[in-house]
Amino acid sequence: MRKFELVRAVDVSGVSGTGIVAEGIQFHDGQVVMSWFGQHHTIEVSPSIDATIAIHGHGGTTVVRWENE
């Protein structure tokens, strides 16, 4: 298991804000589970970290920061 934070420099949607917007875990098979912060707390499951970045990366304004790396 690898832990990470989703860090956003620019909030293009106006919903999640900036800074650390979610925390997550990548499992041994590559699947990702994230818990979002903010007013609308949600849990999201994704097939991979690449899919997560494709959906939430917003052209590099949001990045994954791995814990202990």
Side-chain angles (χ1 to χ4, degrees), residues 29-53:
D29 61 357
Q31 292 186 81
V32 170
V33 175
M34 286 193 316
S35 175
W36 288 87
F37 300 141
Q39 182 180 2
H40 305 286
H41 302 282
T42 57
I43 298 289
E44 179 178 327
V45 179
S46 172
S48 69
I49 198 67
D50 291 337
T52 298
I53 294 167

Side-chain angles (χ1 to χ4, degrees), residues 1-5 26 49 64-69:
M1 255 186 340
R2 296 171 70 195
K3 295 180 183 180
F4 67 90
E5 297 172 328
Q26 183 182 42
I49 198 67
V64 172
R65 182 169 60 199
W66 294 102
E67 184 178 289
N68 299 325
E69 290 186 22

